Amino acid sequence: DDASSEAEIWNIFTTVYSQLQEGDQIYFDVTHAFRSIPMFAMVLFNYAKFLKKTSLKAIHYGAFEKLGNFQAVQQMPLGQRNAPVVDLTSFATLMEWNSAADRFINYGDANEISRLAAEHVIPIKKESQGADINAGAISALGRYLPKHVQDIRTCRSFQLMNGDNARIVGDSINNIKDTLIKPFDPIFSIIRDEIKPFLVTEKIEKLFAAVQWCIDKDHVQQGITLLNELVVTIICNARQLDFDDIEKRTVISSLLNVTASETNEEEWKPI
């Protein structure tokens, strides 16, 4: 097939996919490909990543045309036929980061960002022997963003009010400079904007942000639990009680449950 029709392109797609095995690492050279091949190859590799857990390690293009036309190259000594090889892998990486950011923004899933951050940091740390500041910032982003999300998903209200996970994420993104190509900047900016409501100092505002997060991500059960924690915290604040006093919070929560269920006073039980 020469990829001159839609049917032939799909045949190439199916043929290549059938040769891929579970967990394969893919190195792709587009030097001599028809113009349609690189475009559908990206779709193919994403498809295989999902279904066969493959990974795209590198995409390269040999810029043969820089040497001149075919006739001119034929006249060149072999030793001078050195065409530049362009590394296009960063385009695939950008697509992965874009997809990971989409999962985080829309569904509150930070696992893919964590994986990509770790993959990006490994070669930088090897090259700099662990001294690269940007590598440290990206590594911290990958470690602490999932922790922040987990605090929300497991309704750890004390950690959300008193912990540093969100602050570390914000500081990490602010410290990422010059490591990634320019189109990555808006992706990191939108991640920073997403955790910005948690960077306030007021504990009540942090819980407000967590409840809103659950509403936006359709995390219904977590949102209800955190909303209850928020109401208890507001009452503690109004009564000038310590937010972190578990015993007082338990009493307030029990009173709210009794009120909500309209339990008769004679049925009240001691805490």
Side-chain angles (χ1 to χ4, degrees):
D1 288 339
D2 59 7
S4 59
S5 70
E6 183 179 356
E8 290 176 346
I9 290 174
W10 277 114
N11 188 47
I12 295 172
F13 184 101
T14 304
T15 301
V16 175
Y17 177 76
S18 68
Q19 297 303 309
L20 295 173
Q21 303 300 313
E22 191 81 13
D24 274 357
Q25 295 181 345
I26 300 171
Y27 295 82
F28 186 47
D29 181 358
V30 299
T31 302
H32 301 294
F34 287 100
R35 291 179 181 178
S36 60
I37 300 298
M39 185 176 69
F40 91 78
M42 297 304 297
V43 178
L44 168 61
F45 297 145
N46 279 323
Y47 182 75
K49 176 185 175 183
F50 175 67
L51 292 176
K52 293 188 176 182
K53 305 298 185 294
T54 61
S55 57
L56 181 59
K57 292 299 183 181
I59 306 174
H60 290 104
Y61 170 67
F64 181 82
E65 64 274 9
K66 291 279 289 186
L67 301 178
N69 59 40
F70 179 73
Q71 289 75 17
V73 173
Q74 278 189 315
Q75 304 303 317
M76 286 184 182
L78 289 177
Q80 295 180 15
R81 299 180 188 179
N82 298 319
V85 177
V86 183
D87 188 349
L88 302 176
T89 313
S90 58
F91 289 94
T93 304
L94 177 61
M95 289 179 60
E96 286 193 297
W97 273 96
N98 189 72
S99 176
D102 177 73
R103 289 177 62 175
F104 172 65
I105 298 301
N106 291 307
Y107 307 108
D109 182 357
N111 292 330
E112 196 67 8
I113 288 178
S114 179
R115 181 188 69 80
L116 290 172
E119 285 186 1
H120 185 83
V121 162
I122 290 173
I124 299 175
K125 281 189 172 181
K126 284 183 178 178
E127 186 175 339
S128 67
Q129 297 182 339
D132 191 288
I133 296 176
N134 293 300
I138 296 172
S139 180
L141 168 65
R143 290 200 311 272
Y144 287 95
L145 186 60
K147 290 182 179 180
H148 169 66
V149 171
Q150 194 68 7
D151 288 341
I152 299 174
R153 286 185 168 180
T154 54
C155 304
R156 298 173 186 166
S157 56
F158 288 173
Q159 180 64 24
L160 288 168
M161 290 190 292
N162 303 313
D164 289 329
N165 290 332
R167 180 190 59 77
I168 294 173
V169 171
D171 291 345
S172 299
I173 296 176
N174 289 336
N175 290 330
I176 297 174
K177 304 180 189 302
D178 302 326
T179 297
L180 301 173
I181 59 177
K182 197 68 175 175
F184 280 85
D185 294 346
I187 293 177
F188 286 119
S189 293
I190 200 171
I191 295 172
R192 182 175 55 239
D193 290 344
E194 189 72 6
I195 56 98
K196 187 176 180 180
F198 297 92
L199 303 181
V200 296
T201 56
E202 293 292 331
K203 295 181 179 181
I204 290 178
E205 292 299 320
K206 292 180 181 180
L207 284 185
F208 262 118
V211 172
Q212 186 62 54
W213 169 287
C214 293
I215 293 172
D216 294 341
K217 309 305 189 266
D218 199 26
H219 295 169
V220 177
Q221 185 58 59
Q222 292 92 331
I224 292 172
T225 302
L226 287 170
L227 184 59
N228 181 74
E229 290 293 306
L230 173 59
V231 172
V232 171
T233 304
I234 291 173
I235 294 174
C236 286
N237 183 59
R239 303 294 295 180
Q240 297 184 332
L241 302 174
D242 181 4
F243 290 168
D244 299 330
D245 190 320
I246 296 178
E247 183 176 344
K248 289 184 174 62
R249 293 182 70 91
T250 302
V251 171
I252 294 171
S253 182
S254 297
L255 288 172
L256 291 173
N257 288 332
V258 167
T259 302
S261 62
E262 299 181 349
T263 304
N264 295 324
E265 187 172 346
E266 58 270 16
E267 298 178 21
W268 290 3
K269 297 179 182 179
I271 298 175

